[in-house]
Amino acid sequence: FSSARAQEFPSRIWHEGYLVTAKEDTARGLVKYDMDTDIVQVIVNQEQVQTYSSMKILYFEIFDKTVNNYRQFYALPYQVKLDYKTQSLFEVLYEGPLTLLVKEKIIMVSDPYNQSYYNGPSMSREKLAYTYFFIDQKGNMNEYSTGKKNDLLDIMKENPGKVKSYIKSNRLKTDKMRDIVRITAFYNSLLRS
């Protein structure tokens, strides 16, 4: 038995924004996205809902009230299988010689702290989970989903000692979004110097 608590996730609400299609047409209005299905909906002129698959999208931008910030998303080729690529939606977290992207997904997690003392039913809740991707200047994409420092250093091959020192001296966590962005910015500063 499980019960999910209601929570507002960015992908479930409408945001002010715009979308640019692969044909470079622009649709402005309220935007709602779904990274699981790679579909974006736009309400144009406060009445007509237009639906776009990632195959027809170049990029879109929203103002997300849940984080009080602008967010940019691109439809990029993604290797689904060894011999098959498709367009998929990614959010850009940091752009540079090594660009940091993310895909978010709503998952269910059990919450052991909600169990009663007599070993009652466990409760579960929804949570956002993130998978990070890095794209180098040659267009190679590397997935970073483990949150482990050594896996991150394998991606950031130039000056790994400096990156490791930066992580340690700033007490950064390699599984936290804000810290991964900071580490990526530092790494890019090394590449530019």
Side-chain angles (χ1 to χ4, degrees), residues 94-99 135-138 187-189 191-192:
Y94 188 91
E95 199 166 351
L98 185 66
T99 296
I135 297 181
D136 65 20
Q137 291 177 308
K138 295 177 184 173
Y187 180 74
N188 278 298
S189 73
L191 294 178
R192 290 184 183 117

Side-chain angles (χ1 to χ4, degrees), residues 5 21 28 34 51 63 74 93 103 115-116 134 144 154 164 168-169 187:
R5 280 183 257 162
T21 68
R28 293 185 182 278
D34 185 338
T51 303
F63 181 78
Y74 284 84
L93 294 179
K103 285 185 83 61
Q115 291 184 355
S116 64
F134 290 94
Y144 174 65
D154 285 345
K164 193 173 182 177
K168 185 176 181 178
S169 65
Y187 180 74

Side-chain angles (χ1 to χ4, degrees), residues 26-114:
T26 303
R28 293 185 182 278
L30 294 175
V31 178
K32 189 176 185 183
Y33 65 93
D34 185 338
M35 291 183 119
D36 283 335
T37 59
D38 286 321
I39 289 179
V40 179
Q41 295 178 302
V42 182
I43 298 177
V44 181
N45 299 327
Q46 300 178 349
E47 57 188 47
Q48 182 184 9
V49 178
Q50 298 174 348
T51 303
Y52 300 88
S53 74
S54 58
M55 301 298 284
K56 298 188 186 269
I57 298 170
L58 190 57
Y59 69 92
F60 68 97
E61 182 177 294
I62 60 171
F63 181 78
D64 186 346
K65 292 179 186 174
T66 65
V67 292
N68 204 31
N69 207 352
Y70 288 95
R71 298 172 64 195
Q72 292 182 327
F73 299 79
Y74 284 84
L76 301 170
Y78 178 60
Q79 188 104 25
V80 178
K81 295 181 183 174
L82 189 58
D83 59 345
Y84 181 69
K85 279 188 177 182
T86 186
Q87 292 289 102
S88 190
L89 298 175
F90 296 88
E91 180 180 359
V92 178
L93 294 179
Y94 188 91
E95 199 166 351
L98 185 66
T99 296
L100 173 60
L101 308 172
V102 69
K103 285 185 83 61
E104 65 184 32
K105 186 176 196 165
I106 300 170
I107 61 169
M108 293 295 289
V109 293
S110 67
D111 196 348
Y113 299 110
N114 278 338

